[in-house]
């Protein structure tokens, strides 16, 4: 008979006689996913041990042994040699147990004045902060790609849509720059999240703080935090930083999803505004003619997946009493999954932006179709004939109906046909009915005029250089 206490957890099993049921171990273990926190866990432990030694809580010799052991463990994990063990629950206890295995007694002093609760809160903040920095760089890269293509196509017209009906001509560059503006806001949201996230939970211990004379300001500074958290209960139970990250992710992934949907539409044969190369499309196993925009479709789908992660974590946290509850272990997978999905979607989108080949002649042809310059005609009646806008709108509506009845574009109506509806119309009106005149006339701030677009694209490219 083996002694049942042999199977009790070595990190907390003192008051336990037996080991966990197999299903208890399985549901309890987070090592399957929280091993992704290993770098942050080691960084946090190095800072904690240094502070403990500096504050005279552990000896300098112990601190050296701990630091050396943790660095060796980092190499083991890096090289895939680390013996991860589900029985040790999570990354924190896996690393601590391994440390004691390697350096003995000193390893058992590392957890002085600390709990896994402030430890995991710290690790997770560090992980999200690293993720923010990585995603931010990817957003900047996407913006460079979009602004570069916008500069290239500052003067190329395409139909602008409302209700997905041709509305008014815009330039392709202007359309792409809309996504640059969205991405810029996505970066601001991340920066804002990072600013609020950047407080250090270490020292909160389990929930109430610790009786040891710790120096939370020192660990905070060593880990690049602006300051320690001001309240120990909040420090261990707050996951706002993760929610804010997911909210920023959900909004940004929604932006990517909208662009992806436009790519899908533009690539569709009836539209054929844009083609993606072999690099970003796939074929069909049955229909030899197919070229499918799978990357764009997957980016479109990631938006839903990331929004789901936000709802998932909000729902886990809702109603949780202070301070820590094991429910909170469920905070990591949605964040990891959303960060992965967001990163993939950004990389694929930047790739497609650089890859896409617009059919400029086709876009130009459709830019003028569907009476897209009707508003320009109404505006001309207001500006030149001094008609009130509402009346000009009505007159133009009748002109569109006349053109439609004849099956021609507005600029194909004869002067006599136009004057039969509005006698004030002169031959001069034709000059505002072209697509180029329409876009060029919108030269106010935010307008689609090629000179604006070229200037805005250049400004972005310079800012992002
Ligand atoms: N694996 C745990 C988590 O991710 C670490 C904290 C455990 N704390 C505790 N009191 N059981 O939340």
């Amino acid at each position: 008979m083996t002694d049942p206490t042999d199977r009790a957890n070595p990190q907390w099993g003192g008051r336990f006689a037996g080991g966990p049921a197999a299903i208890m171990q399985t549901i309890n273990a987070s090592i399957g996913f929280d091993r992704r926190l290993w770098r942050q866990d080691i960084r946090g432990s190095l800072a904690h041990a240094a502070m403990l030694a500096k504050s005279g809580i552990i000896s300098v010799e112990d601190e050296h042994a701990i630091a050396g052991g943790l660095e060796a463990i980092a190499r083991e994990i890096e090289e895939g040699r680390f013996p991860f063990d589900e029985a040790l629950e999570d990354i924190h206890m896996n690393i601590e147990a391994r440390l004691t295995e390697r350096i003995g007694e000193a390893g058992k002093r590392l957890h002085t004045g600390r709990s896994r609760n402030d430890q995991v809160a710290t690790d997770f903040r560090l992980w999200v902060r690293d993720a923010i920095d990585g995603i931010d760089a990817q957003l900047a890269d996407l913006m460079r790609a979009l602004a570069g293509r916008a500069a290239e196509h500052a003067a190329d017209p395409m139909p602008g849509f409302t209700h997905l009906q041709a509305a008014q001509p815009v330039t392709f560059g202007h359309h792409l720059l809309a996504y640059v503006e969205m991405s810029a806001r996505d970066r601001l949201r991340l920066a804002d999240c990072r600013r609020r996230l950047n407080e250090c939970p270490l020292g909160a211990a389990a929930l109430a703080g610790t009786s040891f004379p710790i120096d939370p300001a020192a660990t905070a500074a060593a880990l690049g935090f602006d300051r320690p958290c001001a309240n120990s209960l909040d420090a261990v139970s707050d996951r706002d930083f993760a929610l804010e990250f997911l909210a920023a992710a959900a909004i940004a992934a929604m932006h990517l999803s909208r662009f992806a949907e436009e790519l899908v539409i533009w690539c569709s044969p009836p539209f054929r505004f844009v083609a993606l190369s072999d690099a970003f499309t796939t074929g069909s196993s049955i229909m030899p003619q197919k070229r499918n925009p799978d990357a764009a479709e997957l980016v479109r789908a990631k938006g839903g997946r990331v929004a789901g992660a936000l709802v998932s974590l909000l729902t886990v946290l809702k109603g949780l009493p202070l301070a820590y509850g094991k429910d909170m272990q469920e905070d990591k997978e949605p964040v990891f999954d959303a960060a992965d999905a967001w990163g993939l979607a950004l990389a694929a989108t930047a790739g497609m932006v650089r890859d896409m080949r617009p059919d400029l002649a086709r876009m130009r042809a459709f830019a003028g179709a569907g009476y897209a310059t009707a508003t320009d005609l109404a505006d001309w009646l207001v500006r030149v004939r001094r008609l009130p806008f509402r009346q000009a709108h009505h007159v133009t509506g009748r002109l569109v109906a006349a053109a439609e009845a004849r099956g021609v574009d507005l600029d194909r109506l004869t002067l006599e046909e136009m004057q039969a509806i509005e006698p004030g119309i002169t031959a001069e009106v034709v000059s505002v009915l072209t697509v180029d005149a329409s876009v060029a006339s919108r030269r106010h701030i935010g307008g689609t005029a090629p000179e604006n677009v070229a200037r805005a694209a250049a400004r972005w490219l310079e800012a992002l250089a």
Side-chain angles (χ1 to χ4, degrees):
M1 273 293 284
T2 50
D3 173 1
T5 56
D6 283 354
R7 305 195 308 120
N9 188 298
Q11 312 303 118
W12 47 248
R15 54 115 63 226
F16 285 70
I23 187 57
M24 175 62 207
Q25 177 165 311
T26 304
I27 193 174
N28 202 34
S30 53
I31 189 62
F33 51 87
D34 70 11
R35 63 176 71 188
R36 286 184 70 168
L37 296 175
W38 71 267
R39 287 174 206 281
Q40 291 76 18
D41 195 68
I42 288 177
R43 237 195 286 167
S45 289
L46 287 169
H48 179 66
M51 180 281 291
L52 289 178
K54 203 136 178 271
S55 309
I57 301 167
I58 64 171
S59 70
V60 171
E61 296 71 55
D62 281 347
E63 195 247 319
H64 283 159
I66 289 169
L70 288 172
E71 270 145 28
I73 288 171
R75 280 192 298 277
E76 281 187 341
I77 301 178
E78 192 91 71
E79 293 160 13
R81 291 185 286 111
F82 186 88
F84 287 107
D85 181 2
E86 192 194 64
L88 290 166
E89 271 183 55
D90 57 24
I91 187 64
H92 324 293
M93 297 206 295
N94 267 270
I95 288 178
E96 194 193 316
R98 181 78 180 134
L99 181 67
T100 299
E101 223 169 81
R102 292 188 69 110
I103 69 169
E105 185 88 356
K108 298 186 182 178
R109 298 192 195 278
L110 171 61
H111 213 52
T112 314
R114 184 177 79 169
S115 154
R116 271 188 297 155
N117 295 350
D118 59 344
Q119 185 179 0
V120 73
T122 304
D123 292 1
F124 200 25
R125 280 185 195 237
L126 289 173
W127 193 93
V128 172
R129 198 177 69 187
D130 290 343
I132 287 173
D133 295 343
I135 296 274
D136 184 66
Q138 283 195 273
L139 277 164
D141 181 60
L142 173 63
M143 289 169 72
R144 267 190 295 276
L146 286 164
R149 300 307 302 263
E152 203 180 314
H153 299 293
D156 292 321
M158 68 179 280
F161 297 92
T162 63
H163 312 266
L164 200 54
Q165 310 287 318
Q168 293 173 342
V170 294
T171 60
F172 188 37
H174 195 56
H175 195 110
L176 296 176
L177 285 183
Y179 287 98
V180 174
E181 296 292 333
M182 291 176 233
S183 303
R185 291 194 299 276
D186 293 338
R187 294 183 74 191
L188 288 174
R189 264 182 287 276
L190 273 184
D192 195 41
C193 167
R194 192 188 198 285
R195 201 167 50 77
R196 259 189 301 282
L197 162 154
N198 211 30
E199 295 185 344
C200 185
L202 279 180
L207 75 166
T210 171
S211 57
F212 292 98
I214 55 162
D215 183 355
T219 33
L223 294 169
F225 288 111
D226 295 329
R227 63 191 80 81
C229 295
N231 179 297
S232 65
L233 293 168
D234 183 45
V236 292
S237 59
D238 166 46
R239 294 294 183 271
D240 292 4
F241 65 90
L243 290 173
E244 287 193 31
F245 175 75
L246 289 176
I251 293 172
M254 172 276 293
H255 288 152
L256 294 176
S257 179
R258 294 181 77 170
F259 183 62
E261 167 67 354
E262 298 202 308
L263 281 175
V264 170
I265 292 171
W266 294 344
C267 287
S268 158
F271 257 81
R272 215 172 5 90
F273 281 5
V274 154
L276 290 169
S277 79
D278 295 359
F280 284 93
T281 49
T282 64
S284 156
S285 58
I286 176 171
M287 297 166 285
Q289 85 284 8
K290 288 298 287 293
R291 177 184 288 288
N292 297 326
D294 293 38
E297 295 167 84
L298 288 163
V299 170
R300 185 170 64 181
K302 300 287 184 203
R305 181 164 172 163
V306 174
L310 169 62
V311 174
S312 165
L313 184 55
L314 269 175
T315 313
V316 165
L317 292 171
K318 149 178 197 311
L320 268 194
L322 298 185
Y324 178 85
K326 197 65 173 251
D327 315 50
M328 296 173 76
Q329 181 164 283
E330 297 280 317
D331 59 358
K332 286 162 213 69
E333 287 165 291
V335 170
F336 292 158
D337 188 68
D340 290 345
W342 192 2
L344 269 176
L346 278 168
T349 305
M352 288 188 286
V353 168
R354 293 189 167 104
D355 182 78
M356 67 184 180
R357 277 165 298 123
D359 184 334
L360 299 176
R362 198 170 160 83
M363 287 164 98
R364 169 177 283 277
F366 279 97
Y371 311 104
T373 54
T375 314
D376 297 279
L377 174 51
D379 289 352
W380 182 87
L381 290 169
V382 171
R383 201 167 50 244
V384 178
R385 303 312 312 172
R386 296 281 156 209
L387 261 55
F389 180 76
R390 224 7 103 206
Q391 193 183 332
H393 184 288
H394 184 77
V395 167
T396 306
R398 291 182 56 207
L399 289 163
V400 167
E404 206 168 28
R406 264 197 50 201
V408 296
D409 281 339
L410 272 177
D411 60 354
R412 290 278 167 267
L413 287 176
T414 64
L415 193 55
E416 294 70 47
E417 284 172 312
M418 292 204 220
Q419 286 172 339
I421 290 165
E422 169 49 51
I425 290 180
T426 65
E428 191 209 321
V429 76
V430 180
S431 68
V432 302
L433 294 180
T434 68
V435 161
D436 286 305
S438 174
V439 293
S441 67
R442 288 159 164 78
R443 57 181 88 251
H444 55 82
I445 189 164
T448 191
E451 60 191 81
N452 273 8
V453 175
R455 213 180 310 114
R459 202 176 353 90
W460 276 120
L461 286 171
E462 196 189 306
L464 293 160

